[in-house]
Amino acid sequence: MAGDTKKKAQQKVKDSATGVEVAVPQPPKRLSAYQIFVQQQRDATKAANPAANSQEILGILAKAWNSTNGDERAKLEKDADADLETKKKMWAVGEDIREAERLRVCKALDMSDKTTWASLYERVVERNEKLGRPASPRSSKSTYKPPPKPDAASIKKSRQWATAFQGQTRRKAVLSGLDAIAALSSDQANFDQFGNDAIQCFYDVARATEDPVRANALMFVE
């Protein structure tokens, strides 16, 4: 079962001939009580341990989890159920957006508009193999890494480099903004009031940008 889950999570491939990316939408999955606990306690733990690295923070959280009692874990299980219900609502709201994206990909790859996501993925993999460039499915998580900060001398010597860096900075700001919108939407009250607007925002950003921004926007819609 774990292998199947990993395989599904990796159903993303780029067509070597056209550069069109096929990212098969995956329905929301329930987080465990422990994952909810980490989400709820991570920021406070990092604030209380500013010198700790990510691995150390996880170690602290693991110890804190082991100290929780049955009642606390039962509440976390209910929180996990509520989190899944919120994600399911977001998934339902995004049905039209996913369909529009599927049609866009079908057209870009010159395939029938009846082609399913699964078939799109399989055909692109086959096309890549025929071209001698096997597909390498990627994780749904963003792989974007910002460039190193330039020093004063490099900026002075190259206005072109400085301009490029400013573009990377804006891209990072957009990615942070998407994360913030997703975090706000995870709150049930916020989603009930602004859920449709959040979904439309992700869709508009995905249509107007390229990766990694586009991939991140679609990830939240999925």
Side-chain angles (χ1 to χ4, degrees):
M1 180 64 71
D4 293 341
T5 300
K6 183 177 181 181
K7 182 177 180 181
K8 290 182 179 180
Q10 292 179 333
Q11 284 194 319
K12 178 183 289 188
V13 64
K14 179 175 289 186
D15 183 52
S16 297
T18 64
V20 176
E21 186 173 77
V22 176
V24 182
Q26 300 296 327
K29 299 176 182 177
R30 185 183 185 278
L31 298 179
S32 67
Y34 175 70
Q35 289 172 312
I36 293 294
F37 175 80
V38 170
Q39 283 188 353
Q40 294 177 353
Q41 301 297 324
R42 181 166 43 210
D43 288 345
T45 302
K46 290 173 65 176
N49 302 272
N53 59 35
S54 298
Q55 185 174 357
E56 291 169 338
I57 291 295
L58 288 176
I60 294 171
L61 287 168
K63 289 183 180 179
W65 166 256
N66 290 333
S67 299
T68 57
N69 58 39
D71 291 339
E72 291 171 325
R73 295 194 181 189
K75 181 182 181 303
L76 288 166
E77 292 289 356
K78 291 182 179 179
D79 290 344
D81 290 336
D83 175 72
L84 178 60
E85 288 305 312
T86 298
K87 290 178 179 177
K88 284 182 177 179
K89 289 182 179 180
M90 293 183 69
W91 172 263
V93 171
E95 176 62 33
D96 291 342
I97 296 173
R98 292 192 297 276
E99 177 62 9
E101 174 65 8
R102 186 188 65 80
L103 293 174
R104 183 193 71 79
V105 173
C106 286
K107 183 177 180 180
L109 293 174
D110 195 26
M111 295 184 186
S112 167
D113 60 7
K114 303 297 183 182
T115 309
T116 64
W117 278 114
S119 294
L120 283 168
Y121 176 82
E122 291 171 0
R123 292 186 187 181
V124 169
V125 170
E126 291 175 358
R127 281 163 55 148
N128 286 351
E129 290 175 345
K130 288 180 180 179
L131 290 172
R133 287 172 281 187
S136 298
R138 298 179 295 171
S139 168
S140 60
K141 294 183 179 179
S142 173
T143 57
Y144 169 71
K145 293 183 180 179
K149 293 183 178 180
D151 55 28
S154 64
I155 293 178
K156 185 176 181 180
K157 290 180 180 179
S158 175
R159 291 287 300 172
Q160 184 178 10
W161 200 103
T163 301
F165 176 73
Q166 290 166 7
Q168 297 286 358
T169 300
R170 287 192 294 271
R171 184 180 301 167
K172 183 178 180 181
V174 172
L175 290 170
S176 296
L178 292 175
D179 288 340
I181 294 172
L184 288 172
S185 300
S186 65
D187 181 89
Q188 185 62 55
N190 289 339
F191 182 79
D192 289 342
Q193 189 169 3
F194 305 112
N196 288 338
D197 293 331
I199 294 294
Q200 188 63 49
C201 173
F202 293 139
Y203 179 54
D204 290 342
V205 170
R207 291 186 61 187
T209 59
E210 298 180 352
D211 289 335
V213 176
R214 176 178 171 277
N216 272 50
L218 290 176
M219 177 179 69
F220 291 126
V221 173
E222 294 167 8

